[in-house]
Amino acid sequence: MLNMDISMALVRVTEAAAIQSANLMGRGDKMAADQAAVDGMEKAFGLMPVRGTVVIGEGELDEAPMLYIGQKVGIGEDNMPEMDIAVDPLDGTILIAKGLPNAIAVVAMGPKGSLLHAPDMYMKKIVVGPGAKGAIDIKKSPKENMINVAKALNKDITELTIIVQERERHDYIVDAAREVGARVKLFGEGDVAAALACGFEETGVDMLMGIGGAPEGVIAAAAIKCMGGEMQAQLVAHSEEEIERCKKMGIDDIHKIFGIDDLAKSDDVFFAATGITECDLLKGVIYSKNEVATTHSVVMSSKTGTIRFVEAIHDLNKSKIVVE
């Protein structure tokens, strides 16, 4: 029952962030939307039956007043488990500001010491779902990885879909996909949602490659582990300051290739996400009259292998987790 209690409490955390943030969809103010998500999520954490510590959050204590790295969250009673918490209350701030798809609220959680304390810097990533587990190697070229993943999935290379963030730094990946005949799906922001799509056949996405945020990479790794997929990653440092920051956070080898068990070390991790705007996997928040909102979420546990899709109807006049 403990896993069920934690899972459902965790999804209420992402629901709260999504409801608050979605209220500002398309209003052009990404900072206000992000703050609304943080406010909703932080209040909802007060109902979590854990002794949690934020290890990936909105920044250091001097940078963020809420959900900062090191902040204690949860009910916090002595008989409750100690947990690492990684949060992104709004993955896709530009998306929500413009009313574009793929903005989500996400949380990953595992036993104390289980989640990599990733610095706020870039990370090279390659992600596949369970069908292609064992077929990727971040040291190999994009072309080799695409061919190997297609073989593992028993697909013709022309049936393979690669999801790539639309950035100049990823032109070589797009060029490789076009050379071998693979399909390419580009996205602008929100690489947690993009990684999540790799784990579900109904999204039509087979593989993610590219460079994105390291904190988001750890959160995505928790989801991929719950789904039985595979992820490899490598930090990309652009300055001596970033290298020193890695060392301070316990990462001595800046060139280390991280596997899924390095990013999320426990076999008992949790992940939850709620759609804020329409996503490949989840519907966005839908508001109806009389202060009612409908949310669509996914919550996962690696220990049980359970993946639950949760549709919830919220009476915002009665909700205890919505910030006034």
Side-chain angles (χ1 to χ4, degrees):
M1 284 299 295
L2 181 60
N3 268 27
M4 171 69 84
D5 292 343
I6 289 178
S7 292
M8 296 315 295
L10 196 63
V11 81
R12 291 186 185 106
V13 169
T14 56
E15 287 173 347
I19 289 170
Q20 289 298 304
S21 184
N23 194 44
L24 298 171
M25 183 181 73
R27 298 191 185 182
D29 192 340
K30 67 177 184 179
M31 300 300 291
D34 187 53
Q35 186 59 57
V38 171
D39 291 342
M41 182 172 281
E42 200 225 16
K43 187 170 184 181
F45 264 124
L47 304 176
M48 279 285 297
V50 298
R51 288 179 290 157
T53 302
V54 176
V55 298
I56 291 176
E58 293 296 284
E60 303 289 351
L61 176 58
D62 58 350
E63 299 171 352
M66 288 189 287
L67 298 180
Y68 56 84
I69 297 170
Q71 181 177 343
K72 303 299 181 182
V73 296
I75 296 172
E77 294 179 0
D78 290 343
N79 63 334
M80 294 177 178
E82 287 189 87
M83 307 293 273
D84 281 355
I85 309 282
V87 305
D88 196 342
L90 171 52
D91 181 38
T93 54
I94 293 174
L95 301 177
I96 188 67
K98 295 183 177 181
L100 295 171
N102 283 335
I104 60 173
V106 292
V107 174
M109 183 169 66
K112 183 179 179 181
S114 63
L115 299 181
L116 180 72
H117 295 199
D120 189 7
M121 59 187 289
Y122 279 120
M123 175 183 273
K124 184 179 180 181
K125 311 166 192 175
I126 180 168
V127 179
V128 291
K133 188 173 183 178
I136 58 172
D137 186 343
I138 201 169
K139 300 188 297 295
K140 292 183 177 179
S141 69
K143 182 178 177 180
E144 288 177 288
N145 277 298
M146 291 174 202
I147 292 170
N148 290 337
V149 169
K151 287 179 180 177
L153 295 174
N154 197 27
K155 288 186 172 184
D156 187 88
I157 193 68
T158 60
E159 298 174 310
L160 193 74
T161 299
I162 318 297
I163 192 164
V164 182
Q165 191 173 25
E166 190 175 12
R167 298 289 187 270
E168 284 187 13
R169 64 178 179 266
H170 296 147
D171 285 350
Y172 76 103
I173 298 174
V174 175
D175 290 343
R178 290 172 178 167
E179 182 183 342
V180 298
R183 290 152 44 92
V184 177
K185 183 172 185 176
L186 296 174
F187 69 97
E189 306 285 341
D191 58 349
V192 176
L196 194 61
C198 296
F200 296 90
E201 288 186 15
E202 58 265 37
T203 66
V205 175
D206 299 305
M207 185 181 187
L208 175 144
M209 283 191 287
I211 296 172
E216 291 86 353
V218 175
I219 295 172
I224 298 302
K225 187 160 193 175
C226 290
M227 290 185 282
E230 186 175 4
M231 176 174 176
Q232 294 178 8
Q234 189 174 33
L235 292 170
V236 179
H238 289 129
S239 66
E240 286 297 322
E241 182 181 351
E242 288 186 341
I243 293 173
E244 285 303 311
R245 181 161 172 74
C246 288
K247 291 179 179 178
K248 286 181 181 178
M249 297 182 79
I251 303 171
D252 294 322
D253 182 4
I254 192 65
H255 302 295
K256 177 181 172 67
I257 294 173
F258 296 95
I260 193 82
D261 292 328
D262 299 310
L263 300 166
K265 299 168 189 168
S266 171
D267 290 326
D268 191 14
V269 297
F270 299 85
F271 173 86
T274 300
I276 300 176
T277 59
E278 192 83 9
C279 304
D280 287 323
L281 187 64
L282 301 167
K283 293 181 181 178
V285 178
I286 299 170
Y287 290 96
S288 52
K289 61 183 179 180
N290 300 323
E291 291 292 300
V292 173
T294 302
T295 57
H296 296 84
S297 308
V298 62
V299 58
M300 315 178 195
S301 164
S302 66
K303 185 174 183 178
T304 65
T306 305
I307 299 173
R308 288 185 176 88
F309 287 91
V310 181
E311 180 177 342
I313 299 172
H314 307 263
D315 184 338
L316 303 186
N317 292 306
K318 298 179 180 179
S319 174
K320 295 181 181 179
I321 60 175
V322 175
V323 178
E324 298 295 337

